Amino acid sequence: MRNVLFPLLVLAVFLPAVASEPGQPIDCSDWVIVKPGITCRDIPIPTPAPWYSRPGANPADNENFLIGIVSVRGFPLDCGFGPIEQRYELRRFNGVNDELVAYVQARCGPSGSAADTPNVEGIFGFTYNNGFLYVVGTDECWGDGVSCAYTAQSWLIRFEGFTTELDVLQTFTSQARQVGFHVPVMPEGMAAADHFDTYWGDLSAVGNWSQAHGLQCHYPDSPPTRGDYLTVADTLPTPQPGHGYYYVTAATYQGQTRYGRKTTNRTLSGRDPAQLPACSPLR
């Protein structure tokens, strides 16, 4: 497995999700992600959680898309006790474009007459700084009362990867071998970005940015707009055991380059751009 570190707040490797087993509660792994760059994470919740059953109003994201949950008919499923139709879609709409982000639907149990059914209650909230969307609901097992191995239970999941306000939040896709991110509204606090440069380095050198190496430089060819999904191919060899790579992306606007922040004596400041070498792409 490739070990990677994203110093700009994202510190995770996202591997292809394996769906949960039939006869078990439906979770994040059962959502089918359609929008590039979006991932799903199960969030533990307290029991009982009375606040949890009160989802908020549908929010607008940082691209001014209204986000909502839609219950969709037209996907009948017969698990032995009559057809059921239960599919929920997470969608975005800006008055012109209607975009499917992800969906989840019921499934039959492993044996007998039973079905695992997600009941998506709604959106609990959206955090604009990091582009996180929280969705709430319950799982239930319907049918003969014998094949169900669990009782109804509440859940909270978080969709990550929506356009952020300031930070370049990268994700690593193992299957596609690429680093990707949605262009923030104000990249690193600047009004826009003329281009980006993505660097890599050995984990042992994190913090010594002068040892970073260019992975892809001065992209895209024309200035990007907020919400654009940009990807960088990972052409690095698999690291040796005990080693790993970090990735960091710098934004440049009108000659000014920024690549994240640091904390010194509880004071937050930008990293020194003079420490970052000129980007020369990997050969």
Side-chain angles (χ1 to χ4, degrees):
M1 178 184 296
R2 178 183 297 269
N3 295 317
V4 298
L5 169 66
F6 304 109
L8 299 186
L9 300 184
V10 174
L11 304 173
V13 178
F14 294 97
L15 302 176
V18 178
S20 63
E21 294 292 331
Q24 298 297 321
I26 289 177
D27 58 24
C28 244
S29 64
D30 299 299
W31 283 79
V32 178
I33 307 296
V34 178
K35 182 176 174 59
I38 301 298
T39 58
C40 185
R41 185 186 301 270
D42 292 294
I43 306 297
I45 61 172
T47 304
W51 56 269
Y52 179 67
S53 62
R54 299 192 297 271
N58 293 343
D61 64 15
N62 285 317
E63 297 177 64
N64 293 326
F65 277 79
L66 186 68
I67 308 176
I69 300 291
V70 181
S71 178
V72 182
R73 296 286 184 178
F75 298 90
L77 180 69
D78 192 345
C79 298
F81 57 93
I84 59 173
E85 292 193 58
Q86 194 169 32
R87 169 175 164 130
Y88 292 93
E89 296 182 348
L90 175 63
R91 307 191 72 93
R92 301 196 313 160
F93 180 66
N94 66 354
V96 178
N97 299 313
D98 183 15
E99 178 185 40
L100 176 62
V101 177
Y103 67 87
V104 66
Q105 58 194 54
R107 66 182 176 203
C108 293
S111 61
S113 300
D116 303 314
T117 59
N119 298 297
V120 183
E121 297 176 1
I123 294 173
F124 192 76
F126 184 83
T127 53
Y128 296 92
N129 60 325
N130 51 21
F132 289 171
L133 177 75
Y134 293 85
V135 175
V136 300
T138 58
D139 281 332
E140 293 184 80
C141 185
W142 292 92
D144 56 17
V146 177
S147 303
C148 298
Y150 62 95
T151 57
Q153 54 188 285
S154 298
W155 49 256
L156 173 66
I157 61 176
R158 183 172 74 206
F159 289 96
E160 304 177 2
F162 287 94
T163 299
T164 63
E165 286 187 313
L166 306 176
D167 295 300
V168 178
L169 298 187
Q170 303 167 125
T171 57
F172 180 83
T173 305
S174 176
Q175 191 174 26
R177 293 182 63 90
Q178 65 183 22
V179 177
F181 62 92
H182 285 99
V183 176
V185 176
M186 299 179 64
E188 299 300 329
M190 297 183 290
D194 294 325
H195 68 264
F196 294 93
D197 297 295
T198 295
Y199 296 80
W200 69 277
D202 192 279
L203 283 175
S204 62
V206 168
N208 186 354
W209 309 112
S210 64
Q211 295 188 27
H213 310 280
L215 185 64
Q216 185 165 330
C217 305
H218 293 74
Y219 68 93
D221 293 335
S222 58
T225 59
R226 68 176 182 176
D228 287 351
Y229 185 61
L230 305 181
T231 60
V232 175
D234 174 27
T235 57
L236 302 175
T238 299
Q240 296 296 316
H243 292 268
Y245 302 133
Y246 71 81
Y247 300 86
V248 61
T249 293
T252 297
Y253 178 64
Q254 295 184 352
Q256 184 177 17
T257 298
R258 298 180 183 177
Y259 62 110
R261 297 179 291 277
K262 64 179 181 179
T263 300
T264 304
N265 296 325
R266 299 183 179 181
T267 300
L268 192 65
S269 62
R271 295 185 180 127
D272 183 1
Q275 295 184 8
L276 198 64
C279 189
S280 298
L282 183 70
R283 301 297 183 185

